[in-house]
Amino acid sequence: MEKFLAIAAEAVPEIRKVSDFIHDHPETGYKEFLAAEKLRNLLKSWGFRVEENTCGLETAFKAYAGTVADASVPVFCFMAEYDALAGLGHGCGHNLIASAALFGAYVAKRIIEQENLPARICCIGTPAEEGLGGKVKLVEGGAFRDISAGVIAHPLDHTSPDFGCLSVARAYIDFYGRASHAAFAPEEGINALDALTAFYDGILEWKKSITERQRVHGIFTKGGDAANIIPDHTQAFFYVRAGNETEIAGMKRKLESIAAEAAEKTRCRNTVNWVSAYKGMVFNKSLNDEYIRAWRDLGVELSETNGTEGRGSTDTGDVSYVIPCAHYYFGITQGVSTPLHTVEFRESAKTDAAFDAALRTGSVMARVCLCYFKDASFRESVRRDFMNAEK
């Protein structure tokens, strides 16, 4: 690992500037124009061939490098994220996801060139992970068709191999009644707020029976227009999560039935509009094991995972259905338990310790990449894990 870290150190000044710039100039999904430009320009300066506007997404890109042009040689990719949270900035540390991907791509390129190893790599810029599904659109648009395998690493309060994530689906639930004056003629109205509260009562009752790897949670986005008017339109926005695509389908049907029952009970009409969804991660043990081995060589012992421990969701799950990949994690809070999507995590994401963790993680991912090209048995095991996984 010493060689990987030494090469990564060469790129520290350039990557640190990009990481801090992204952190200080947060841009939300599909609006990451400055971040994408910074990443593209740096990759170009390193000799990567950059393709912009991937799949018609202005802030997506693919940057290629390699020692051969032979299409039979596989392409290994490093996925970068750089979108921020509305109102919070980089409270999920996506500036560091980009940094780790840059380190991985830089180190891998330098070593395959030094060793004249037949290999092709790609750093793919993936916008809008935070709820808007940038990778879902990239998968649908064919951005991963030429990719053989890939990795991504996300900051957390501890370092871990891929522990999986839940399938998620998101919906707007609307109820429609009839407006009337709440004091003069309430009996002439049909109260859509009654339907919304009946819906939520049904959700609370449902929560008592869901499994440990299932989730249902949401907010009321509209409760009416004025307190003296019987509400004729109310709305909620809800997530359902489950361990796999089969379970999530059942969860969606259950939410729809609760909404329909609430509407019928209160004489309202209702609609359920499913607006986005991410698949759960397809677990790849071989990619996980190599991550663990690399960290062990750095003196860090990581616990093994089996892909069922995660409770969050990410659009990398959709990528894992089309190529073998792993969603790794690296600790940036120096042992302090700090939740994602908080001001505290945002501040941690710009520290020297966090950037050093991104450097080390990028170096580890570069080693996984080099193992993929150098070791045919490892490459085959990665492929076999993907083919045999339950999807």
Side-chain angles (χ1 to χ4, degrees):
M1 282 304 303
E2 291 79 7
K3 178 179 181 179
F4 291 86
L5 294 174
I7 293 175
E10 299 171 359
V12 163
E14 295 171 307
I15 297 178
R16 183 61 185 264
K17 286 180 183 177
V18 171
S19 181
D20 287 353
F21 180 89
I22 293 173
H23 189 278
D24 293 343
H25 299 83
E27 300 166 293
T28 54
Y30 299 124
K31 299 177 182 178
E32 317 96 323
F33 297 104
L34 297 175
E37 182 180 29
K38 291 288 185 182
L39 292 166
R40 292 194 308 263
N41 288 344
L42 183 53
L43 288 158
K44 287 178 184 177
S45 75
W46 293 340
F48 281 79
R49 176 177 58 84
V50 177
E51 297 178 359
E52 301 184 20
N53 303 318
T54 303
C55 298
L57 303 181
E58 291 182 275
T59 55
F61 65 85
K62 296 173 78 174
Y64 291 93
T67 54
V68 293
D70 186 349
S72 67
V73 175
V75 179
F76 190 97
C77 83
F78 302 90
M79 288 171 271
E81 294 175 8
Y82 32 88
D83 59 319
L85 294 156
L88 184 60
H90 283 286
C92 208
H94 287 196
N95 61 303
L96 296 173
I97 299 178
S99 299
L102 287 172
F103 276 121
Y106 179 83
V107 173
K109 180 179 185 293
R110 292 272 282 109
I111 292 179
I112 64 175
E113 290 174 346
Q114 285 179 359
E115 300 183 4
N116 197 28
L117 181 69
R120 298 191 296 162
I121 62 173
C122 177
C123 182
I124 180 167
T126 63
E129 187 276 337
E130 295 289 358
L132 297 178
K135 294 189 195 67
V136 176
K137 292 185 178 181
L138 288 171
V139 167
E140 292 172 348
F144 291 91
R145 285 177 190 157
D146 65 334
I147 307 295
S148 304
V151 291
I152 187 172
H154 196 299
L156 202 62
D157 59 5
H158 67 283
T159 301
S160 171
D162 190 350
F163 46 61
C165 66
L166 300 177
S167 296
V168 63
R170 307 171 182 88
Y172 285 100
I173 303 96
D174 291 88
F175 295 96
Y176 301 93
R178 185 171 62 236
S180 181
H181 196 289
F184 282 125
E187 71 282 358
E188 294 183 12
I190 298 177
N191 197 322
L193 183 57
D194 288 348
L196 185 61
T197 55
F199 167 75
Y200 193 65
D201 285 343
I203 293 293
L204 292 177
E205 190 64 27
W206 180 27
K207 282 186 175 184
K208 296 176 183 178
S209 62
I210 62 176
T211 68
E212 201 279 326
R213 291 202 78 213
Q214 296 176 336
R215 298 285 190 271
V216 53
H217 51 89
I219 59 171
F220 291 1
T221 55
K222 183 179 181 181
D225 296 315
N228 62 347
I229 302 173
I230 298 295
D232 64 348
H233 176 220
T234 57
Q235 184 186 76
F237 183 57
F238 266 72
Y239 287 43
V240 291
R241 305 183 197 251
N244 55 51
E245 289 298 286
T246 300
E247 284 185 26
I248 205 75
M251 297 277 285
K252 290 170 69 174
R253 289 193 296 270
K254 179 64 174 178
L255 183 142
E256 289 171 352
S257 71
I258 291 172
E261 289 170 8
E264 182 179 7
K265 183 186 301 183
T266 56
R267 298 185 299 127
C268 290
R269 295 182 299 107
N270 89 285
T271 61
V272 178
N273 181 26
W274 296 99
V275 292
S276 67
Y278 297 169
K279 293 180 171 66
M281 283 294 298
V282 176
F283 184 70
N284 195 289
K285 185 177 186 301
S286 297
L287 288 172
N288 248 28
D289 288 348
E290 185 58 25
Y291 190 72
I292 292 171
R293 282 191 290 268
W295 276 105
R296 183 177 296 131
D297 287 349
L298 288 173
V300 179
E301 287 292 336
L302 303 182
S303 299
E304 290 189 14
T305 55
N306 61 22
T308 65
E309 297 88 352
R311 297 296 179 267
S313 304
T314 171
D315 57 6
T316 306
D318 289 72
V319 178
S320 75
Y321 270 69
V322 295
I323 64 167
C325 69
H327 192 282
Y328 302 135
Y329 297 88
F330 59 102
I332 69 166
T333 62
Q334 297 183 285
V336 178
S337 179
T338 308
L340 297 171
H341 293 200
T342 62
V343 171
E344 292 77 14
F345 200 86
R346 180 187 69 197
E347 299 310 305
S348 293
K350 199 185 175 183
T351 62
D352 292 343
F355 183 76
D356 182 64
L359 179 153
R360 288 158 64 85
T361 303
S363 300
V364 166
M365 291 197 298
R367 186 175 120 161
V368 175
C369 172
L370 268 291
C371 184
Y372 185 81
F373 287 113
K374 287 184 172 183
D375 188 340
S377 64
F378 173 68
R379 191 162 59 248
E380 173 58 23
S381 68
V382 169
R383 187 198 67 83
R384 188 170 55 249
D385 287 351
F386 173 73
M387 296 302 296
N388 294 339
E390 181 180 349
K391 299 182 179 71

